[in-house]
Amino acid sequence: MAAASSSDYNGCGAESNEANSKWLDAHYDPMANIHTFSACLALADLHGDGEYKLVVGDLGPGGQQPRLKVLKGPLVMTESPLPALPAAAATFLMEQHEPRTPALALASGPCVYVYKNLRPYFKFSLPQLPPNPLEQDLWNQAKEDRIDPLTLKEMLESIRETAEEPLSVQSLRFLQLELSEMEAFVNQHKSNSIKRQTVITTMTTLKKNLADEDAVSCLVLGTENKELLVLDPEAFTILAKMSLPSVPVFLEVSGQFDVEFRLAAACRNGNIYILRRDSKHPKYCIELSAQPVGLIRVHKVLVVGSTQDSLHGFTHKGKKLWTVQMPAAILTMNLLEQHSRGLQAVMTGLANGEVRIYRDKALLNVIHTPDAVTSLCFGRYGREDNTLIMTTRGGGLIIKILKRTAVFVEGGSEVGPPPAQAMKLNVPRKTRLYVDQTLREREAGTAMHRAFQTDLYLLRLRAARAYLQALESSLSPMSATAREPLKLHAVVQGLGPTFKLTLHLQNTSTARPVLGLLVCCLYNEALYSLPRAFFKVPLLVPGLNYPLETFVESLSNKGISDIIKVGATLVPCGR
């Protein structure tokens, strides 16, 4: 990587002038045929020779033919097929023995495949779940030829719609078959036992007992059946099991398993749950207004990207610290950690072809790419400490190296409180009246509070009396009859002596229309004249507003006014 030239890049720089950029363009291959996301990228010294490689869990074009690829520089060193789509990739140390070479863990389907020196070492499978008793009973009946395949399909579809537990893979495959293929499938599989297997949705690592960078780590798995599993790094047994209200999709951990740790899980229900050591259920919950698209821990702050094109910062107790709006949709997120300068920041890949780097809510840098970036990874690659690796939506590979002289400076804002907060306010001196008032409040605080409560109760009593009087005099905008829920609102327009009276009638029921309604106006004929005081209302559809208009002429030249009452009467159809 140190000898890579920037001429291979073909004009994919962050700025128009490379001299002003903080990045060196090391490599760009738009035809690399790498389709993955950030969770399936990992950098590690897999052979202990100081040469860091890139591990890629490749989904394949269109999600077909998933493969495990290991890149050295811009070239693919090894490539092997995978039985299922990869969910996450991670590197970790399993033991303290020399040589200290990290192992590679790749989560795919219900299994975690562990490699050492790029050779298969161990395969961990998730424990099987108990099958649905009704589903088991149906397959037993099919085994004894008591039901035909068509009845079996109808019953399995009914179970899938009503049962909380999902069906087994065997039943799901059976429901996808055509009618002509069902009988052969039943004869082939009816003697097999029903097995219900969950799959891994996310994976990360947790230090075992030391916080050192080269300490032994445990694997933390999130599964489709709403559980978190912590695996022993040597025996691969389950050390801890925790339950969640929803399926986890992103994980962030801090601390050590044997001492104290905190785990944050972003789930499909749009919430983030915080768990601690020895807790089987979440301790805190962060409710988001949209679905999360990424979760990164920066020091003690949880940075969450959402589908509302925004970044949010939260504490581990769920308090929101800040929000930053993005110019486009967020496709991927990852952590940028520069050890030489002690910098931790968040990288976000946007749909408009930008990669933005934030420290808290301060924008540090913007990188422009020729295609939308779908995965990001920053760290030591080859022999370069600060290397940024990106893959694009079209399968391209972009490699950038951070210049050793580059310093990230916040654009347009400074870290910490604004400068206006440090200015002293011109607070006036305490007057004699203020001091006397303060002493009076201290001495008579109880009596003042009682007087306030008395006035508050009197205000509530007057409001209740006024409301009751409005109901008794039919001044309420809501209908007093419980038979037909109607809402009537009157609007008077004009300065006089002629006014325009508009009656807005609305059916407030959920699904029942109103038919045969009559509306009439009751008024003092000595004071007012209405050319139309009687309305025959059409069919009232629930939720719609029906305006009824008429004119009112004031007959008094002395300015005398009175109330015009509006009544609605339901008349049976045909009368």
Side-chain angles (χ1 to χ4, degrees):
M1 289 298 297
S5 69
S6 60
S7 61
D8 298 333
Y9 182 67
N10 299 332
C12 170
E15 291 82 7
S16 59
N17 188 3
E18 187 179 344
N20 298 328
S21 173
K22 295 179 173 58
W23 304 90
L24 295 174
D25 301 328
H27 178 73
Y28 174 49
D29 182 9
M31 306 299 292
N33 196 25
I34 297 178
H35 302 83
T36 186
F37 46 95
S38 299
C40 290
L41 293 180
L43 293 168
D45 183 10
L46 298 176
H47 297 94
D49 55 357
E51 189 82 14
Y52 277 65
K53 280 85 174 177
L54 174 66
V55 179
V56 180
D58 191 0
L59 305 177
Q64 303 294 328
Q65 300 176 351
R67 307 184 73 84
L68 172 63
K69 297 180 180 179
V70 179
L71 280 73
K72 181 180 180 181
L75 304 176
V76 178
M77 190 172 67
T78 61
E79 187 174 353
S80 58
L82 293 174
L85 292 175
T91 57
F92 67 107
L93 284 172
M94 299 172 50
E95 52 193 8
Q96 295 287 353
H97 305 303
E98 296 293 339
R100 305 291 303 280
T101 56
L104 168 64
L106 187 75
S108 177
C111 303
V112 177
Y113 301 93
V114 182
Y115 300 82
K116 289 200 72 174
N117 296 321
L118 291 182
R119 295 178 180 177
Y121 177 79
F122 188 82
K123 174 185 174 182
F124 171 80
S125 299
L126 294 176
Q128 293 185 359
L129 303 177
N132 191 320
L134 297 177
E135 179 187 5
Q136 182 72 57
D137 183 61
L138 287 177
W139 281 103
N140 290 337
Q141 295 182 30
K143 182 179 179 180
E144 299 171 359
D145 296 330
R146 288 191 289 170
I147 57 174
D148 57 355
L150 186 60
T151 306
L152 177 62
K153 178 184 178 181
E154 294 176 355
M155 297 297 292
L156 288 177
E157 287 180 346
S158 176
I159 294 175
R160 183 173 61 176
E161 294 176 358
T162 57
E164 296 182 359
E165 299 177 353
L167 296 176
S168 63
V169 177
Q170 178 176 321
S171 299
L172 293 176
R173 289 178 179 175
F174 172 74
L175 293 177
Q176 294 175 351
L177 298 177
E178 298 293 337
L179 186 60
S180 59
E181 302 172 346
M182 290 182 179
E183 186 174 357
F185 184 88
V186 170
N187 294 331
Q188 181 182 357
H189 296 88
K190 63 183 180 180
S191 59
N192 299 339
S193 59
I194 300 298
K195 298 179 181 179
R196 193 165 67 90
Q197 185 73 57
T198 185
V199 295
I200 300 172
T201 57
T202 181
M203 180 178 66
T204 187
T205 58
L206 171 64
K207 300 295 182 182
K208 183 73 164 59
N209 47 25
L210 296 175
D212 299 338
E213 188 175 353
D214 57 348
V216 175
S217 300
C218 305
L219 290 178
V220 182
L221 309 178
T223 65
E224 189 71 31
N225 63 325
K226 308 175 186 178
E227 286 185 343
L228 295 176
L229 306 178
V230 182
L231 303 184
D232 184 84
E234 295 182 348
F236 290 98
T237 56
I238 299 177
L239 298 177
K241 181 185 292 186
M242 291 161 277
S243 300
L244 292 172
S246 182
V247 179
V249 290
F250 300 105
L251 289 177
E252 275 295 333
V253 297
S254 60
Q256 300 89 46
F257 178 78
D258 292 339
V259 184
E260 179 63 39
F261 68 89
R262 185 181 282 109
L263 194 149
C267 298
R268 287 183 188 161
N269 61 354
N271 295 339
I272 299 176
Y273 299 98
I274 312 296
L275 299 97
R276 304 188 69 173
R277 191 174 186 269
D278 299 329
S279 63
K280 300 298 181 182
H281 301 282
K283 185 175 180 62
Y284 301 103
C285 175
I286 303 174
E287 295 184 0
L288 304 176
S289 57
Q291 288 291 328
V293 296
L295 176 65
I296 303 296
R297 182 179 61 86
V298 181
H299 298 298
K300 295 184 178 181
V301 178
L302 290 175
V303 182
V304 186
S306 70
T307 54
Q308 290 180 338
D309 308 342
S310 57
L311 281 180
H312 308 279
F314 293 92
T315 64
H316 281 285
K317 292 187 177 180
K319 179 182 178 181
K320 181 181 283 191
L321 300 176
W322 47 264
T323 299
V324 178
Q325 193 67 29
M326 298 288 110
I330 301 175
L331 300 182
T332 184
M333 294 173 57
N334 213 334
L335 177 67
L336 184 149
E337 187 170 8
Q338 189 180 6
H339 295 284
S340 60
R341 299 186 183 274
L343 171 68
Q344 283 191 354
V346 175
M347 303 181 295
T348 58
L350 306 181
N352 61 354
E354 289 183 353
V355 176
R356 295 192 163 214
I357 303 175
Y358 285 89
R359 180 167 63 184
D360 292 335
K361 60 179 180 179
L363 178 63
L364 301 181
N365 190 236
V366 179
I367 303 172
H368 298 275
T369 57
D371 193 5
V373 173
T374 56
S375 68
L376 294 164
C377 186
F378 184 86
R380 184 179 177 88
Y381 188 39
R383 297 188 182 274
E384 287 291 335
D385 288 332
N386 302 312
T387 306
L388 175 59
I389 301 170
M390 301 174 280
T391 64
T392 63
R393 181 180 289 167
L397 175 65
I398 303 173
I399 301 177
K400 287 176 172 286
I401 300 174
L402 184 65
K403 294 180 180 179
R404 291 179 174 85
T405 58
V407 178
F408 290 109
V409 179
E410 293 84 351
S413 63
E414 298 181 358
V415 178
Q421 186 171 329
M423 297 175 59
K424 290 187 176 181
L425 297 177
N426 188 15
V427 181
R429 297 179 61 185
K430 296 180 180 179
T431 61
R432 182 64 182 177
L433 178 62
Y434 172 81
V435 175
D436 293 344
Q437 184 72 7
T438 304
L439 294 176
R440 189 181 71 86
E441 290 178 357
R442 290 178 181 177
E443 295 173 355
T446 304
M448 295 173 65
H449 178 71
R450 289 175 179 171
F452 169 76
Q453 292 293 331
T454 302
D455 294 340
L456 179 61
Y457 291 145
L458 289 176
L459 178 62
R460 291 175 178 173
L461 178 61
R462 291 169 184 166
R465 287 175 176 173
Y467 180 66
L468 179 60
Q469 183 180 2
L471 291 178
E472 292 176 349
S473 58
S474 300
L475 296 179
S476 172
M478 297 297 295
S479 174
T481 172
R483 181 181 176 185
E484 298 295 340
L486 300 175
K487 182 178 180 181
L488 181 64
H489 177 63
V491 177
V492 180
Q493 296 174 313
L495 299 176
T498 303
F499 304 90
K500 182 179 180 181
L501 176 63
T502 305
L503 305 176
H504 295 275
L505 195 61
Q506 183 179 1
N507 182 5
T508 59
S509 65
T510 57
R512 181 183 177 185
V514 177
L515 182 64
L517 190 67
L518 302 178
V519 175
C520 61
C521 299
L522 304 179
Y523 59 96
N524 190 346
E525 297 182 357
L527 299 178
Y528 297 110
S529 172
L530 273 74
R532 185 183 180 188
F534 179 82
F535 299 91
K536 187 175 182 180
V537 181
L539 174 71
L540 295 182
V541 179
L544 297 183
N545 186 22
Y546 292 82
L548 307 175
E549 297 179 353
T550 185
F551 289 92
V552 179
E553 183 178 357
S554 178
L555 304 179
S556 174
N557 56 1
K558 298 181 181 180
I560 302 175
S561 62
D562 195 7
I563 296 175
I564 299 178
K565 295 183 180 181
V566 180
T569 305
L570 191 65
V571 179
C573 295
R575 297 185 182 179

